[in-house]
Amino acid sequence: MHSDLDADGGAQPQRTMLAWNRTLLAAVLGCATVAFAAQRQQMVVTAAVAACAAIAVLVLVLRDMPAWHEGGSAHYRLMRHVAGAVVLLAGLGVVIAVRGILG
């Protein structure tokens, strides 16, 4: 039993690209959340870094989306951006958590 997607070799790369873009969008929303949390704790520098990171990641997503095609190198660039965004988000989250614990 074959579906229309099995016959379309282009569907898998499209789904992969969309999945990476959703992950980056989640990182953007996470950075925005960290920015708001840092701002509420009067951590101006952390809030500014998180807000700039959210904007930068959003720009990267919008820049890389049109360049995606099967066999292209855009997917590796997109994966590096995802890794960087997740590491940055984790680091900012740790800063917020430590500040909250320490008072």
Side-chain angles (χ1 to χ4, degrees):
M1 175 179 244
H2 295 298
S3 69
D4 290 335
L5 291 177
D6 292 334
D8 182 11
Q12 181 60 41
Q14 268 185 336
R15 288 191 302 267
T16 302
M17 183 266 307
L18 291 172
W20 282 112
N21 283 320
R22 283 191 303 270
T23 303
L24 277 171
L25 181 60
V28 168
L29 294 175
C31 285
T33 302
V34 168
F36 287 123
Q39 189 271 335
R40 289 183 58 100
Q41 293 182 13
Q42 284 96 29
M43 299 173 66
V44 178
V45 174
T46 305
V49 169
C52 289
I55 292 168
V57 172
L58 184 61
V59 167
L60 292 174
V61 170
L62 295 175
R63 185 192 73 183
D64 288 345
M65 267 179 32
W68 184 275
H69 62 280
E70 188 175 0
S73 64
H75 54 283
Y76 295 115
R77 183 174 51 213
L78 191 59
M79 285 187 258
R80 284 193 305 269
H81 294 159
V82 168
V86 169
V87 168
L88 178 64
L89 180 58
L92 291 170
V94 167
V95 168
I96 296 283
V98 168
R99 170 73 189 273
I101 290 170
L102 295 179

